[in-house]
Every structure is written in C-alpha cells, then in structure tokens.
Amino acid sequence: MRLELGEINISDIKFADVSKVENGVLHVNAEEIKAIVLEDDRIIDVKLELAKPGESVRITPVKDVIEPRVKVGGKAGIFPGIISNVKTVGEGRTHVLKGSAVVTCGKIVGFQEGIIDMTGVAADYSPFSKLNNLCMVIEAKEGIESHAYEAAARMAGLKIAAHLGKLGENVTPDNIEVFETKPLLEQANEYPELPKVAYVYMLQTQGLLHDTYVYGVDAKKIVPTILYPTEVMDGAILSGNCVSACDKNTSYHHLNNPIIKNLYKQHGKEINFMGIIITNENVYLADKERSSDWTAKFTKYLGLDGVVISQEGFGNPDTDLIMNCKKVEAQGVKTVIVTDEYAGRDGSSQSLADADVAANAVITGGNANQMITLAPMDKVIGMLDYTDTLSGGFDGSLKADGTIEAEIQIITGATNELGFNKLTAKMY
C-alpha cells in the first residue's frame, strides 16, 4: 500500500463565524461544533475551550486526543468502522491538520485520565502541549452508565476531528510525506540483503474501559493479525481506554505512531520494514497464551529477522510483553521491547511485573513513579475535582494555590512518548 500524507501546518486556532482553514489558522464555529456533539442524546452539554502552546492552561481530566484528518481520494474514509464505512484504508492521499488536535475531557468514571499543561515542566513531557487544541468538556446525561458515557465522549471527539479534518480537503498541503509497504513477497525481495523487521503492536484490551478498536471492532475479540503500517495512519486503530495517563496510547498516538515512522525512516537503509503484527493484552492466562503463541507464529511465518514490541499499560500487560518477547526469541527472531517502568518513587523497586533473560534489549520511557511538581496555571479547562484520585495522584496532591505534586504518570502521554522517541532501528 502507498499512502500520501498531505500535512497542512496549523499555527493557530480561533473561534470564528465560519469554520475554515486559512493561512495556517484553523477557524472554528463553536455553535456548529456544539450542534454536532449534542446530536447524541447521551450528552446534555459541551463546553468548548481553546488551548495553545505556551499558554498558562491546564486541561484535565483528559480522555482522548485526536488529530483532524480527511481522506481526499479513493473509496475509503477516515476512522473506518466508527466514523466511515468499513473499507480498508492506508492508501491514496490523506490530508492532516498538523499542529492541531481535538481533546475530550470531563467527569471521570475511574481514576486513569490525566493532565495536559500547555506550559511549565509538565509541558516538556506531553506532546500535546505543542498543539493548538480544541478542548471539549463533555457533560453526560444524569444516571448514564459509565461505559455509555465514555462511548459518547469517544464518539464526540472522533466526529469533531473528522468534521474539522474535512476543512483541509481542498487545501494545498505544506508538505507531502509518502509511505509505502508492498505485498509480502515483493517487499521481502526488494531489499534481500537487509534484515527483515516488523513491529509487534500490543493493544490495550483488558476491558473495564480498557479498550482499543480495530476497524471498529473491540480488539479483545480479535486474534493477532497483520496490518499494513499505512492503515494505522488512516485511523484503523483508535483508543477507547482509560489506562494510566502517562502510558495511554491516545488516538493521536496511533495516528502518529513514532515507532512506525522511525521504522520507515530506516527502511531500505538499515532494515526492510515488513509490516505490523497487532496483538492484544488480555486478562485471562489462556487468552495471553493464545495471543502470544499466534504472535510468535506470525514472526516465523513472515521470515522475520527482528521485531520491535511496544506495550500499552503496565502491571498485568507486563506478562503479555514478556510472553511475546520470550516466544518470539525462541523462534530465532531478535526482539527489542519498548516500555516504561514502575520502579517506585526512589527507583529501587522491580521495574516490570514480569521478566525473562530473553528481554535483553529494552527501550525505556523512564520511571512513571518519579515525582514531579506542577506549578499553578492561570486557567483550568475541565475540573480539578479528581486530581488527588488520578493515577499518580494521592491525598494532598492538589495544593490550595493550584500546585500539584504527583507521580509523572499523571501527565497524559508522558512516558510512552519518551519511550517511542528514544527508539532507533539500529537493532543489529
């Protein structure tokens, strides 16, 4: 598959009478957006706010972050199986409003949403502090069940991201990137002298609002399978989970997966990037055994020399990570695992809940238990009510002046982004 990504650089975002993209500015008609969101009778109100890089703004509790995109040719549409019909994506051209995002937030149903600060120390840890964000604080109907509220918030974010993405449909991109992965045998023969490498993409599927969707299907219900990398860039994989904020893969992370982009950068130079094996992170041992067996089987079947394995979440999924690593290595395929650590505030605890000697090449996103102090912000989008109970927070985290003392895991995208960006494809 060959995909062209046409990047339209967004340098600012403003509320306006007419929604449009003009001279690098994303103009948003607030009433138009509200009307779309309120079509869902599970939502009774939505408050729209803008958050820009460098502003003294704190956004919390953050549910998802989505980058506006639109397909500009072909039969498929963006976010297939949820927003668009279930057509295979990953080829043709897609326009991207680069530098912008839709952020959904609102009352939490658990404790694993997080914080985005647009300036200060926390901004250095989150990729979303660099974006021009349209924030939607969603209020659900009274008495609605938790899973229905989360589904409504998720759909609202995706609908608005698709709506804004269409504004770039007829805009000339500032930059066009081309990504291509050919059919298996053709791809293998293109660079026969280079090691054949794939990406094992572990998806959060532990249930209880720990869900990921593949072409609209809850990934708990899949067995491992193969995707073209370009499918991910068109929204084939979307977030629906509330895992710890620091290592949660938002929809934005899936659309802009740095591991995929880094592997493409080395393709034809140091490696032959063969594609993606997606697998899930289940709760029951039998499911873990099945998925890790299938993952290892695919690496052998594809004739791979090496894989990069990334993990989402921590604790229980550490078992899936190590099972995948151990079984893939047993097939004679080299592995590099990408994960963060929960090593205690002093760094002296065991980093992962599971381990094996086969896991001897590791990219770390750092220690999620590391303490951090977030200075007060002039403006809060959302609410601070849940600060002490967010993952990483504790009784007394929120101070009277608005300062927050917490573990770094409270920051949305913190350790997974660090881990992704430390990755190189120099595996040999």
Side-chain angles (χ1 to χ4, degrees):
M1 284 190 175
R2 185 179 189 274
L3 177 67
E4 296 181 358
L5 283 186
E7 296 182 348
I8 301 164
N9 296 330
I10 301 299
S11 58
D12 196 7
I13 184 170
K14 297 178 179 179
F15 286 126
D17 293 334
V18 178
S19 294
K20 61 182 177 179
V21 173
E22 187 175 70
N23 298 323
V25 179
L26 175 56
H27 300 262
V28 178
N29 181 303
E31 294 306 314
E32 178 181 274
I33 299 301
K34 286 181 180 180
I36 295 172
V37 173
L38 294 176
E39 289 173 356
D40 190 330
D41 61 10
R42 296 172 294 185
I43 299 173
I44 61 171
D45 193 24
V46 58
K47 184 179 181 181
L48 303 180
E49 302 270 12
L50 303 179
K52 307 177 188 182
E55 292 183 335
S56 182
V57 173
R58 174 163 293 150
I59 313 167
T60 185
V62 175
K63 296 184 177 299
D64 199 9
V65 184
I66 313 109
E67 183 174 60
R69 296 189 173 202
V70 62
K71 297 296 294 179
V72 298
K75 299 178 181 179
I78 207 72
F79 309 143
I82 295 182
I83 297 299
S84 301
N85 292 333
V86 186
K87 299 284 187 180
T88 301
V89 293
E91 56 188 350
R93 180 181 283 194
T94 298
H95 282 185
V96 183
L97 301 191
K98 186 58 64 177
S100 70
V102 174
V103 179
T104 54
C105 51
K107 181 180 178 181
I108 67 172
V109 299
F111 54 87
Q112 293 186 305
E113 282 88 348
I115 291 173
I116 298 171
D117 280 357
M118 299 305 292
T119 190
V121 63
D124 295 334
Y125 286 93
S126 178
F128 311 123
S129 66
K130 288 79 174 174
L131 304 177
N132 294 284
N133 298 304
L134 173 64
C135 305
M136 304 197 306
V137 184
I138 294 169
E139 182 180 348
K141 184 168 61 177
E142 179 117 13
I144 190 172
E145 293 187 16
S146 298
H147 69 276
Y149 167 46
E150 290 298 311
R154 179 172 65 252
M155 283 300 298
L158 292 170
K159 285 196 294 185
I160 298 308
H163 178 77
L164 296 179
K166 288 180 181 178
L167 302 178
E169 188 170 13
N170 298 311
V171 177
T172 301
D174 297 290
N175 179 54
I176 296 177
E177 287 190 286
V178 178
F179 301 91
E180 184 173 18
T181 299
K182 297 178 179 177
L184 183 62
L185 296 180
E186 186 178 350
Q187 187 64 66
N189 291 328
E190 187 172 27
Y191 300 105
E193 74 285 0
L194 296 178
K196 295 185 287 297
V197 175
Y199 173 29
V200 174
Y201 199 167
M202 291 174 55
L203 307 177
Q204 175 57 248
T205 56
Q206 290 176 278
L208 298 175
L209 304 173
H210 291 48
D211 306 307
T212 303
Y213 295 89
V214 180
Y215 281 93
V217 174
D218 187 336
K220 287 191 295 296
K221 301 176 182 179
I222 70 169
V223 291
T225 189
I226 300 167
L227 291 182
Y228 282 94
T230 53
E231 292 178 79
V232 181
M233 298 175 181
D234 273 345
I237 300 176
L238 296 170
S239 175
N241 72 68
C242 303
V243 299
S244 189
C246 71
D247 55 8
K248 168 180 178 171
N249 289 338
T250 64
S251 294
Y252 185 97
H253 281 103
H254 291 303
L255 291 164
N256 293 278
N257 189 307
I259 291 178
I260 295 174
K261 288 193 174 182
N262 278 328
L263 291 173
Y264 265 126
K265 285 179 183 177
Q266 297 301 325
H267 178 62
K269 301 173 183 176
E270 296 190 16
I271 65 168
N272 188 349
F273 182 26
M274 299 296 296
I276 295 175
I277 300 168
I278 59 170
T279 185
N280 43 25
E281 301 173 354
N282 292 302
V283 176
Y284 297 108
L285 181 58
D287 296 326
K288 293 176 182 291
E289 292 283 9
R290 180 191 305 110
S291 290
S292 55
D293 282 350
W294 278 55
T295 298
K297 176 183 68 175
F298 273 129
T299 64
K300 189 69 173 180
Y301 181 69
L302 296 174
L304 300 175
D305 299 299
V307 297
V308 176
I309 308 174
S310 72
Q311 172 189 11
E312 182 176 13
F314 67 97
N316 186 291
D318 293 350
T319 303
D320 302 84
L321 176 69
I322 298 302
M323 289 174 79
N324 283 323
C325 174
K326 183 168 60 175
K327 292 180 181 181
V328 171
E329 287 272 356
Q331 298 282 1
V333 180
K334 295 182 180 181
T335 65
V336 173
I337 64 175
V338 182
T339 182
D340 59 3
E341 306 172 51
Y342 284 77
R345 293 178 185 177
D346 62 358
S348 62
S349 299
Q350 181 173 325
S351 296
L352 299 176
D354 199 359
D356 192 86
V357 293
N360 58 8
V362 182
I363 303 295
T364 177
N367 180 16
N369 295 132
Q370 175 186 328
M371 290 295 294
I372 191 169
T373 300
L374 311 182
M377 297 285 130
D378 294 338
K379 180 179 180 180
V380 174
I381 296 176
M383 59 213 74
L384 293 172
D385 308 40
Y386 308 99
T387 304
D388 289 1
T389 54
L390 294 173
S391 286
F394 49 87
D395 188 21
S397 279
L398 178 62
K399 309 303 179 184
D401 67 349
T403 297
I404 296 174
E405 291 183 3
E407 295 179 358
I408 199 172
Q409 62 175 302
I410 206 169
I411 302 172
T412 301
T415 57
N416 62 356
E417 191 71 13
L418 291 171
F420 284 159
N421 288 330
K422 287 180 181 178
L423 175 71
T424 70
K426 297 181 179 179
M427 301 168 58
Y428 300 93

